[in-house]
Amino acid sequence: MNYVWNKPVLTFYRERFGKPEKEAFTVVQAQKLKVLAKEDEHKFVCSLQDFFPLMGDVDCLSTPGGMADKYVVCWFDSKVDDFKEAFRRLTGVSFSEGVDCVLDPQGKRTYNADFVAKHAKLE
């Protein structure tokens, strides 16, 4: 099953079992988030397109430690009226290929990334 969100604001946490992080290390605004549920493989293949940080450091996702770590990614679905029902989450997220950075002529950085998640709450 395919899911698409336009212009989501996503919050990133490092996945820590037993002592979950309460402070996000980065918040990004994206043009588009695509999630493909591969039920036969028990994973979610995701694409985050044209995003930039609103807070924190995105470049750490491309470091060797960042690519080896696991993350939790959260956002709200703006198509859902009930705020309590609009919460979405991906867990076990890994950026094994890091993130791609594009620099425009004015020096603004825009990123793209493909990643995999183990679990998801999408509806």
Side-chain angles (χ1 to χ4, degrees), residues 41-123:
E41 298 177 35
H42 304 290
K43 67 180 180 180
F44 299 86
V45 178
C46 310
S47 174
L48 193 55
Q49 300 171 353
D50 297 327
F51 66 96
F52 58 91
L54 298 172
M55 179 203 89
D57 179 24
V58 175
D59 293 321
C60 69
L61 296 173
S62 291
T63 65
M67 290 188 296
D69 213 346
K70 301 284 188 219
Y71 302 93
V72 176
V73 179
C74 305
W75 71 99
F76 286 94
D77 188 346
S78 61
K79 296 176 187 170
V80 178
D81 290 334
D82 186 350
F83 192 68
K84 292 179 184 176
E85 298 294 321
F87 181 72
R88 304 290 180 253
R89 175 180 60 235
L90 297 167
T91 59
V93 172
S94 60
F95 291 87
S96 58
E97 301 297 318
V99 296
D100 295 323
C101 178
V102 177
L103 210 56
D104 74 3
Q106 290 80 27
K108 180 181 174 190
R109 291 178 176 209
T110 304
Y111 298 87
N112 291 288
D114 294 321
F115 58 94
V116 176
K118 289 186 179 180
H119 306 283
K121 180 194 177 291
L122 302 173
E123 296 178 4

Coordinates of all heavy atoms in Angstrom, one line a residue, residues 41-123:
E41 N 7.7 -8.3 3.0 CA 9.0 -8.2 3.6 C 9.0 -7.6 5.0 O 10.1 -7.4 5.6 CB 9.9 -7.3 2.7 CG 10.0 -7.9 1.3 CD 10.8 -7.0 0.4 OE1 11.8 -6.3 0.8 OE2 10.5 -7.0 -0.9
H42 N 7.8 -7.3 5.5 CA 7.7 -6.7 6.8 C 8.5 -5.4 7.0 O 9.3 -5.3 8.0 CB 8.0 -7.7 7.9 CG 7.2 -9.0 7.8 ND1 5.8 -9.0 8.1 CD2 7.5 -10.2 7.4 CE1 5.4 -10.2 7.9 NE2 6.3 -11.0 7.5
K43 N 8.4 -4.5 6.1 CA 9.2 -3.3 6.2 C 8.4 -2.2 5.4 O 7.5 -2.5 4.6 CB 10.6 -3.4 5.7 CG 10.8 -3.6 4.2 CD 12.2 -3.7 3.8 CE 12.4 -4.0 2.4 NZ 13.8 -4.1 2.0
F44 N 8.8 -1.0 5.6 CA 8.3 0.2 4.9 C 9.4 0.9 4.2 O 10.4 1.3 4.9 CB 7.6 1.1 6.0 CG 6.5 0.5 6.7 CD1 6.7 -0.3 7.8 CD2 5.2 0.6 6.2 CE1 5.7 -0.9 8.5 CE2 4.1 -0.1 6.9 CZ 4.4 -0.8 8.0
V45 N 9.3 1.1 2.9 CA 10.3 1.8 2.1 C 9.8 3.2 1.9 O 8.7 3.4 1.5 CB 10.5 1.0 0.8 CG1 11.5 1.8 -0.1 CG2 10.9 -0.4 1.0
C46 N 10.6 4.2 2.3 CA 10.2 5.6 2.3 C 11.1 6.5 1.5 O 12.3 6.2 1.4 CB 10.2 6.0 3.8 SG 9.4 4.9 4.9
S47 N 10.5 7.6 1.1 CA 11.3 8.6 0.4 C 10.9 10.0 0.9 O 9.7 10.3 0.9 CB 11.0 8.5 -1.1 OG 11.6 9.5 -1.9
L48 N 11.9 10.7 1.3 CA 11.6 12.1 1.8 C 12.2 13.0 0.8 O 13.4 13.0 0.5 CB 12.3 12.2 3.1 CG 11.9 13.5 4.0 CD1 10.4 13.6 4.2 CD2 12.6 13.4 5.3
Q49 N 11.4 13.9 0.1 CA 11.8 14.7 -1.0 C 11.9 16.2 -0.7 O 10.9 16.7 0.0 CB 10.9 14.5 -2.2 CG 10.8 13.0 -2.6 CD 9.8 12.8 -3.7 OE1 8.9 13.6 -4.0 NE2 9.7 11.6 -4.2
D50 N 12.9 16.8 -1.1 CA 13.1 18.2 -1.0 C 12.8 18.7 0.4 O 11.9 19.5 0.6 CB 12.3 19.0 -2.0 CG 12.7 18.6 -3.4 OD1 13.9 18.4 -3.7 OD2 11.8 18.6 -4.3
F51 N 13.6 18.3 1.4 CA 13.4 18.8 2.8 C 14.6 19.6 3.2 O 15.7 19.6 2.7 CB 13.1 17.6 3.7 CG 14.3 16.7 3.9 CD1 15.1 16.8 5.0 CD2 14.5 15.6 3.0 CE1 16.2 15.9 5.2 CE2 15.5 14.7 3.3 CZ 16.4 14.9 4.3
F52 N 14.3 20.4 4.3 CA 15.3 21.3 4.9 C 15.0 21.4 6.4 O 13.9 21.2 6.8 CB 15.3 22.7 4.2 CG 14.0 23.4 4.3 CD1 13.7 24.2 5.4 CD2 13.0 23.2 3.4 CE1 12.5 24.9 5.5 CE2 11.8 23.9 3.5 CZ 11.5 24.7 4.6
P53 N 16.1 21.6 7.2 CA 15.9 21.6 8.6 C 15.3 22.9 9.1 O 15.6 24.0 8.6 CB 17.3 21.5 9.2 CG 18.2 22.0 8.1 CD 17.5 21.7 6.8
L54 N 14.3 22.8 10.0 CA 13.8 23.9 10.7 C 14.5 24.1 12.0 O 14.6 25.2 12.6 CB 12.3 23.7 11.0 CG 11.4 23.6 9.7 CD1 10.0 23.2 10.1 CD2 11.4 24.9 8.9
M55 N 15.0 23.0 12.5 CA 15.8 23.0 13.8 C 16.7 21.8 13.7 O 16.4 20.7 13.2 CB 14.8 22.8 14.9 CG 15.4 22.8 16.3 SD 14.4 21.9 17.5 CE 14.9 20.3 17.3
G56 N 17.9 22.0 14.3 CA 18.8 20.8 14.4 C 19.7 20.6 13.2 O 19.8 21.4 12.3
D57 N 20.3 19.4 13.2 CA 21.3 19.1 12.2 C 20.9 17.9 11.4 O 20.8 16.8 12.0 CB 22.7 18.8 12.9 CG 23.8 18.4 12.0 OD1 23.7 18.8 10.8 OD2 24.7 17.8 12.4
V58 N 20.7 18.0 10.1 CA 20.4 16.9 9.3 C 21.6 16.2 8.8 O 21.6 15.0 8.5 CB 19.5 17.4 8.1 CG1 19.2 16.3 7.1 CG2 18.2 18.0 8.5
D59 N 22.7 16.9 8.7 CA 24.0 16.3 8.1 C 24.5 15.1 8.9 O 25.2 14.3 8.4 CB 25.1 17.4 8.0 CG 24.7 18.4 7.0 OD1 24.2 18.1 5.9 OD2 25.0 19.6 7.2
C60 N 24.1 15.0 10.2 CA 24.6 13.9 11.0 C 24.0 12.6 10.5 O 24.6 11.5 10.8 CB 24.2 14.2 12.5 SG 22.4 14.1 12.9
L61 N 22.9 12.6 9.8 CA 22.4 11.4 9.2 C 23.3 10.7 8.2 O 23.1 9.5 7.9 CB 21.0 11.6 8.6 CG 19.9 12.1 9.6 CD1 18.6 12.5 8.8 CD2 19.6 11.0 10.6
S62 N 24.2 11.5 7.7 CA 25.1 11.0 6.6 C 26.5 10.6 7.2 O 27.4 10.1 6.5 CB 25.4 12.0 5.5 OG 24.2 12.2 4.8
T63 N 26.7 10.7 8.5 CA 27.9 10.3 9.1 C 27.9 8.8 9.3 O 26.8 8.2 9.4 CB 28.1 11.0 10.5 OG1 27.1 10.6 11.4 CG2 28.1 12.5 10.4
P64 N 29.0 8.1 9.5 CA 29.0 6.7 9.7 C 28.1 6.3 10.9 O 27.4 5.3 10.9 CB 30.5 6.3 9.9 CG 31.2 7.4 9.2 CD 30.4 8.6 9.3
G65 N 28.2 7.1 12.0 CA 27.4 6.8 13.2 C 26.0 7.0 12.9 O 25.1 6.3 13.4
G66 N 25.6 8.1 12.2 CA 24.3 8.4 11.9 C 23.6 7.4 11.0 O 22.4 7.1 11.1
M67 N 24.4 6.8 10.0 CA 23.8 5.8 9.1 C 23.7 4.5 9.8 O 22.8 3.7 9.4 CB 24.7 5.7 7.9 CG 24.7 6.9 7.0 SD 25.5 6.7 5.4 CE 27.2 6.5 5.9
A68 N 24.4 4.2 10.9 CA 24.3 3.0 11.6 C 23.2 3.0 12.7 O 22.7 2.0 13.1 CB 25.6 2.6 12.3
D69 N 22.8 4.2 13.1 CA 21.8 4.4 14.2 C 20.4 4.1 13.7 O 20.1 4.1 12.5 CB 21.9 5.8 14.7 CG 21.6 5.9 16.2 OD1 21.0 4.9 16.8 OD2 21.9 6.9 16.8
K70 N 19.4 4.0 14.6 CA 18.0 3.8 14.3 C 17.3 5.1 14.8 O 17.7 5.6 15.8 CB 17.4 2.6 14.9 CG 18.1 1.3 14.4 CD 17.7 0.9 13.1 CE 18.2 -0.4 12.7 NZ 18.7 -0.5 11.4
Y71 N 16.2 5.4 14.2 CA 15.4 6.6 14.5 C 13.9 6.4 14.6 O 13.4 5.4 14.1 CB 15.7 7.7 13.4 CG 17.2 8.0 13.3 CD1 17.9 7.4 12.3 CD2 17.8 8.9 14.1 CE1 19.3 7.6 12.2 CE2 19.1 9.2 14.0 CZ 19.9 8.6 13.1 OH 21.2 8.8 13.0
V72 N 13.3 7.4 15.2 CA 11.8 7.4 15.2 C 11.5 8.7 14.5 O 12.0 9.8 14.9 CB 11.3 7.4 16.7 CG1 9.7 7.6 16.7 CG2 11.7 6.1 17.4
V73 N 10.5 8.7 13.6 CA 10.1 9.9 12.8 C 8.6 10.1 13.0 O 7.8 9.1 12.8 CB 10.4 9.7 11.3 CG1 10.0 10.9 10.5 CG2 11.9 9.5 11.1
C74 N 8.2 11.3 13.5 CA 6.8 11.6 13.8 C 6.4 12.8 13.0 O 7.1 13.7 12.8 CB 6.7 11.9 15.3 SG 7.3 10.6 16.4
W75 N 5.0 12.8 12.7 CA 4.4 13.9 12.1 C 2.9 13.9 12.2 O 2.4 12.8 12.7 CB 4.8 14.0 10.6 CG 4.2 13.0 9.7 CD1 3.1 13.1 8.9 CD2 4.6 11.6 9.5 NE1 2.8 11.9 8.3 CE2 3.7 11.0 8.6 CE3 5.7 10.9 10.1 CZ2 3.9 9.7 8.3 CZ3 5.8 9.5 9.7 CH2 4.9 9.0 8.8
F76 N 2.2 14.9 11.9 CA 0.8 15.0 12.0 C 0.2 15.0 10.6 O 0.7 15.7 9.7 CB 0.3 16.2 12.8 CG 0.5 16.0 14.2 CD1 1.6 16.5 14.9 CD2 -0.4 15.3 15.0 CE1 1.9 16.3 16.2 CE2 -0.2 15.1 16.4 CZ 0.9 15.6 17.0
D77 N -0.9 14.2 10.3 CA -1.5 14.2 9.0 C -2.5 15.3 9.0 O -3.5 15.3 9.7 CB -2.2 12.9 8.9 CG -2.8 12.7 7.5 OD1 -2.9 13.6 6.7 OD2 -3.1 11.5 7.2
S78 N -2.2 16.3 8.1 CA -3.1 17.5 8.0 C -4.5 17.2 7.4 O -5.4 18.0 7.5 CB -2.4 18.6 7.3 OG -2.1 18.2 5.9
K79 N -4.6 16.1 6.8 CA -5.9 15.7 6.2 C -6.9 15.2 7.2 O -8.1 15.0 6.9 CB -5.7 14.6 5.1 CG -4.9 15.1 4.0 CD -4.6 14.0 3.0 CE -3.7 14.4 1.9 NZ -3.2 13.3 1.1
V80 N -6.5 14.9 8.5 CA -7.3 14.4 9.5 C -7.7 15.5 10.4 O -6.9 16.2 11.0 CB -6.6 13.2 10.3 CG1 -7.4 12.7 11.4 CG2 -6.2 12.1 9.3
D81 N -9.0 15.7 10.6 CA -9.5 16.8 11.5 C -9.3 16.6 13.0 O -9.0 17.5 13.7 CB -11.0 16.9 11.2 CG -11.3 17.5 9.9 OD1 -10.5 18.2 9.3 OD2 -12.4 17.2 9.4
D82 N -9.4 15.4 13.4 CA -9.2 15.1 14.9 C -7.7 15.0 15.2 O -7.0 14.1 14.7 CB -9.9 13.8 15.3 CG -9.9 13.5 16.8 OD1 -9.2 14.2 17.5 OD2 -10.6 12.6 17.2
F83 N -7.2 16.0 16.0 CA -5.8 16.1 16.3 C -5.3 14.8 16.9 O -4.2 14.4 16.6 CB -5.6 17.3 17.2 CG -4.2 17.7 17.4 CD1 -3.5 18.2 16.4 CD2 -3.5 17.5 18.6 CE1 -2.1 18.6 16.5 CE2 -2.2 17.9 18.8 CZ -1.5 18.4 17.7
K84 N -6.1 14.2 17.8 CA -5.6 12.9 18.4 C -5.5 11.8 17.4 O -4.7 10.9 17.7 CB -6.6 12.5 19.5 CG -6.6 13.5 20.7 CD -7.6 13.1 21.7 CE -7.7 14.1 22.8 NZ -8.7 13.8 23.8
E85 N -6.2 11.8 16.4 CA -6.2 10.7 15.4 C -5.2 11.0 14.3 O -4.9 10.2 13.4 CB -7.5 10.5 14.7 CG -8.6 10.1 15.7 CD -8.3 8.7 16.3 OE1 -7.9 7.8 15.5 OE2 -8.5 8.5 17.5
A86 N -4.6 12.2 14.2 CA -3.7 12.6 13.1 C -2.3 12.3 13.3 O -1.5 12.4 12.4 CB -3.9 14.1 12.9
F87 N -1.9 11.7 14.5 CA -0.5 11.4 14.8 C 0.0 10.3 13.9 O -0.6 9.2 13.9 CB -0.3 11.2 16.3 CG 1.1 10.9 16.7 CD1 2.0 11.9 16.7 CD2 1.5 9.6 17.0 CE1 3.3 11.6 17.1 CE2 2.8 9.3 17.4 CZ 3.7 10.3 17.5
R88 N 1.2 10.4 13.3 CA 1.8 9.3 12.5 C 3.2 9.1 13.0 O 3.9 10.0 13.4 CB 1.8 9.7 11.0 CG 0.4 10.1 10.4 CD -0.4 8.8 10.3 NE -1.7 9.2 9.8 CZ -2.9 9.2 10.5 NH1 -2.8 8.9 11.8 NH2 -4.0 9.5 9.9
R89 N 3.7 7.9 12.8 CA 5.0 7.6 13.3 C 5.6 6.4 12.5 O 5.0 5.5 12.2 CB 4.9 7.2 14.8 CG 6.2 6.7 15.4 CD 6.0 6.4 16.9 NE 5.0 5.3 17.1 CZ 3.9 5.4 17.9 NH1 3.7 6.4 18.6 NH2 3.1 4.4 17.9
L90 N 6.9 6.5 12.3 CA 7.8 5.4 11.8 C 8.8 5.1 12.8 O 9.4 6.0 13.4 CB 8.4 5.8 10.5 CG 7.5 6.2 9.3 CD1 8.3 6.9 8.2 CD2 6.9 4.9 8.7
T91 N 9.0 3.8 13.1 CA 10.1 3.4 14.0 C 11.0 2.4 13.4 O 10.7 1.8 12.4 CB 9.5 2.8 15.3 OG1 8.7 1.6 14.9 CG2 8.6 3.8 16.0
G92 N 12.2 2.3 14.0 CA 13.2 1.4 13.4 C 13.7 2.0 12.1 O 14.1 1.2 11.2
V93 N 13.7 3.3 12.0 CA 14.1 4.0 10.7 C 15.6 3.9 10.6 O 16.4 4.3 11.5 CB 13.6 5.4 10.7 CG1 14.2 6.2 9.5 CG2 12.1 5.5 10.7
S94 N 16.1 3.6 9.4 CA 17.6 3.6 9.1 C 17.8 4.3 7.8 O 17.2 4.1 6.8 CB 18.1 2.2 9.1 OG 17.5 1.4 8.1
F95 N 18.9 5.1 7.8 CA 19.3 5.9 6.7 C 20.7 5.2 6.2 O 21.7 5.9 6.3 CB 19.5 7.3 7.0 CG 18.3 8.1 7.3 CD1 17.7 8.1 8.5 CD2 17.6 8.7 6.2 CE1 16.5 8.8 8.8 CE2 16.4 9.4 6.5 CZ 15.9 9.5 7.8
S96 N 20.6 4.0 5.7 CA 21.9 3.3 5.4 C 22.6 4.0 4.2 O 23.8 3.8 4.1 CB 21.6 1.8 5.0 OG 20.7 1.8 4.0
E97 N 22.0 4.8 3.4 CA 22.6 5.5 2.3 C 22.9 6.9 2.7 O 23.3 7.7 1.8 CB 21.8 5.4 1.1 CG 21.5 4.0 0.6 CD 22.8 3.2 0.2 OE1 23.6 3.9 -0.5 OE2 22.9 2.1 0.6
G98 N 22.5 7.4 3.9 CA 22.6 8.8 4.3 C 21.6 9.6 3.6 O 20.6 9.2 3.2
V99 N 21.9 10.9 3.5 CA 21.0 11.9 2.8 C 21.8 12.6 1.7 O 23.0 12.8 1.9 CB 20.4 12.9 3.8 CG1 19.5 12.2 4.8 CG2 21.4 13.7 4.5
D100 N 21.1 13.0 0.6 CA 21.7 13.7 -0.4 C 21.5 15.2 -0.2 O 20.3 15.6 0.1 CB 21.2 13.3 -1.8 CG 21.5 11.9 -2.1 OD1 22.6 11.4 -1.8 OD2 20.6 11.2 -2.7
C101 N 22.5 16.0 -0.4 CA 22.3 17.5 -0.2 C 22.6 18.2 -1.6 O 23.5 17.9 -2.3 CB 23.4 18.0 0.8 SG 23.3 19.7 1.1
V102 N 21.7 19.2 -1.9 CA 21.8 20.0 -3.0 C 21.9 21.4 -2.6 O 21.1 21.9 -1.7 CB 20.6 19.8 -4.0 CG1 20.7 20.7 -5.2 CG2 20.4 18.4 -4.4
L103 N 22.9 22.1 -3.1 CA 23.1 23.6 -2.8 C 22.6 24.4 -4.0 O 23.1 24.2 -5.1 CB 24.6 23.8 -2.6 CG 25.0 24.9 -1.6 CD1 24.4 24.7 -0.2 CD2 26.5 24.9 -1.5
D104 N 21.6 25.3 -3.7 CA 21.2 26.2 -4.8 C 22.1 27.4 -5.0 O 23.0 27.6 -4.1 CB 19.7 26.6 -4.6 CG 19.5 27.6 -3.5 OD1 20.5 28.1 -2.9 OD2 18.3 27.9 -3.2
P105 N 21.9 28.2 -6.0 CA 22.9 29.3 -6.2 C 22.9 30.3 -5.1 O 23.9 31.0 -4.9 CB 22.3 30.0 -7.5 CG 21.5 28.9 -8.2 CD 21.0 28.0 -7.1
Q106 N 21.9 30.4 -4.2 CA 21.9 31.3 -3.1 C 22.5 30.7 -1.9 O 22.6 31.3 -0.8 CB 20.5 31.8 -2.7 CG 19.8 32.7 -3.7 CD 19.3 32.0 -5.0 OE1 18.9 30.8 -4.9 NE2 19.2 32.6 -6.1
G107 N 22.9 29.4 -2.0 CA 23.6 28.7 -0.8 C 22.6 28.0 0.1 O 23.0 27.5 1.1
K108 N 21.3 27.9 -0.3 CA 20.4 27.2 0.5 C 20.5 25.7 0.3 O 20.6 25.2 -0.9 CB 19.0 27.6 0.2 CG 17.9 26.9 1.0 CD 16.5 27.3 0.6 CE 15.5 26.5 1.4 NZ 14.2 26.7 0.9
R109 N 20.6 24.9 1.4 CA 20.7 23.5 1.3 C 19.3 22.8 1.2 O 18.4 23.2 2.1 CB 21.4 22.9 2.5 CG 22.9 23.2 2.5 CD 23.5 22.7 3.7 NE 24.9 22.9 3.7 CZ 25.8 22.1 4.3 NH1 25.4 21.1 5.0 NH2 27.1 22.4 4.2
T110 N 19.1 21.9 0.3 CA 17.9 21.1 0.3 C 18.3 19.6 0.2 O 19.3 19.3 -0.4 CB 17.1 21.4 -1.0 OG1 16.8 22.8 -1.0 CG2 15.8 20.7 -1.0
Y111 N 17.6 18.8 0.9 CA 18.0 17.4 1.1 C 17.0 16.4 0.5 O 15.8 16.8 0.3 CB 18.2 17.0 2.6 CG 19.2 17.8 3.3 CD1 18.9 19.1 3.8 CD2 20.5 17.4 3.4 CE1 19.9 19.8 4.5 CE2 21.5 18.1 4.1 CZ 21.2 19.3 4.6 OH 22.1 20.0 5.3
N112 N 17.4 15.2 0.1 CA 16.6 14.1 -0.3 C 17.1 12.9 0.4 O 18.3 12.7 0.5 CB 16.6 13.9 -1.8 CG 15.9 15.1 -2.5 OD1 14.7 15.2 -2.5 ND2 16.7 15.9 -3.1
A113 N 16.2 11.9 0.7 CA 16.7 10.7 1.4 C 15.7 9.6 1.1 O 14.5 9.8 1.1 CB 16.8 10.9 2.9
D114 N 16.2 8.4 0.9 CA 15.5 7.2 0.9 C 15.9 6.4 2.1 O 17.0 6.4 2.5 CB 15.8 6.3 -0.4 CG 15.3 7.0 -1.6 OD1 14.3 7.7 -1.6 OD2 16.1 7.0 -2.6
F115 N 14.9 5.8 2.8 CA 15.2 5.1 4.0 C 14.1 4.0 4.2 O 13.2 3.9 3.5 CB 15.2 6.0 5.2 CG 13.9 6.8 5.5 CD1 12.9 6.3 6.3 CD2 13.7 8.0 4.8 CE1 11.8 7.1 6.6 CE2 12.5 8.7 5.0 CZ 11.6 8.2 5.9
V116 N 14.4 3.1 5.2 CA 13.6 2.0 5.5 C 13.1 2.1 7.0 O 13.9 2.5 7.8 CB 14.3 0.7 5.3 CG1 13.5 -0.5 5.7 CG2 14.8 0.6 3.8
A117 N 11.9 1.7 7.3 CA 11.4 1.6 8.6 C 10.9 0.2 8.9 O 10.4 -0.5 8.0 CB 10.2 2.6 8.8
K118 N 11.0 -0.2 10.2 CA 10.5 -1.5 10.6 C 9.1 -1.5 10.9 O 8.4 -2.5 10.7 CB 11.4 -2.1 11.7 CG 12.8 -2.4 11.4 CD 13.5 -3.1 12.5 CE 14.9 -3.5 12.1 NZ 15.6 -4.1 13.2
H119 N 8.6 -0.5 11.6 CA 7.2 -0.4 12.0 C 6.6 1.0 11.7 O 7.4 1.9 11.6 CB 7.1 -0.6 13.6 CG 7.8 -1.9 14.0 ND1 7.2 -3.1 13.9 CD2 9.0 -2.1 14.6 CE1 8.0 -4.0 14.3 NE2 9.1 -3.4 14.8
A120 N 5.3 1.0 11.6 CA 4.7 2.3 11.3 C 3.3 2.4 11.8 O 2.6 1.4 11.9 CB 4.6 2.5 9.8
K121 N 2.9 3.6 12.2 CA 1.5 3.9 12.5 C 1.1 5.0 11.5 O 1.5 6.2 11.6 CB 1.3 4.5 13.9 CG -0.2 4.9 14.2 CD -0.3 5.7 15.4 CE -1.7 6.1 15.7 NZ -2.3 7.1 14.7
L122 N 0.4 4.6 10.4 CA 0.1 5.5 9.3 C -1.3 5.9 9.2 O -1.7 6.7 8.4 CB 0.6 4.8 8.0 CG 2.0 4.5 7.9 CD1 2.3 3.7 6.6 CD2 2.9 5.7 8.0
E123 N -2.2 5.2 9.9 CA -3.6 5.5 9.9 C -4.2 5.6 11.3 O -3.6 5.1 12.2 CB -4.4 4.4 9.1 CG -4.0 4.3 7.7 CD -4.7 3.2 6.9 OE1 -5.5 2.6 7.4 OE2 -4.3 3.1 5.7

